[in-house]
Amino acid sequence: MVYRVIAQVSDLDKVKAALISCRNLLEDISDVQLEVVFNQTAVKALIKGGGYEDDVSELIRRGVVIAACRNAMRLNSVNEGDLINGVVIVNSGVGEIVRRMADGWLYLRL
């Protein structure tokens, strides 16, 4: 069985703990398809050269989809070129989550 999980990270202050939780999930369940949506202030964690680049890049290398909300990017003055390589952009973080949940994905708020 493959578990499909969509996780939401909204608060920049909770990014470190959220990334640890993602790694823990990958260690505990080998058959997991994971997408993590960063919206609101958490989108700032996806900027190249920031304190989270190594952790985010590691998750991407492990097959995790890391998604930045375009609306949050606009509100936080984050440009597409600012993002860590491999980060994808979704038009609306909440819209992405709703679509995934409608497709049967499990939801985690981190």
Side-chain angles (χ1 to χ4, degrees):
M1 173 181 199
V2 175
Y3 295 92
R4 298 178 304 159
V5 179
I6 182 85
Q8 178 182 17
V9 185
S10 300
D11 187 345
L12 184 60
D13 293 333
K14 296 182 179 179
V15 168
K16 182 177 180 176
L19 294 172
I20 290 168
S21 292
C22 290
R23 280 196 307 272
N24 290 343
L25 177 61
L26 294 173
E27 295 297 324
D28 188 39
I29 302 174
S30 59
D31 292 335
V32 66
Q33 182 180 352
L34 177 61
E35 179 175 347
V36 185
V37 176
F38 287 73
N39 64 346
Q40 298 177 9
T41 59
V43 77
K44 295 177 186 179
L46 301 179
I47 295 173
K48 289 178 193 169
Y52 301 104
E53 187 168 6
D54 289 342
D55 292 324
V56 169
S57 295
E58 175 201 343
L59 289 174
I60 292 170
R61 279 191 300 276
R62 293 180 73 177
V64 176
V65 174
I66 303 292
C69 170
R70 187 178 305 280
N71 293 324
M73 290 172 60
R74 187 172 38 257
L75 289 172
N76 290 283
S77 301
V78 176
N79 297 310
E80 188 171 339
D82 298 334
L83 296 176
I84 296 166
N85 293 334
V87 171
V88 300
I89 299 172
V90 295
N91 287 327
S92 164
V94 292
E96 179 75 359
I97 291 164
V98 167
R99 281 188 291 279
R100 294 294 191 201
M101 290 180 69
D103 285 339
W105 288 52
L106 302 169
Y107 171 76
L108 290 176
R109 180 167 176 86
L110 302 174

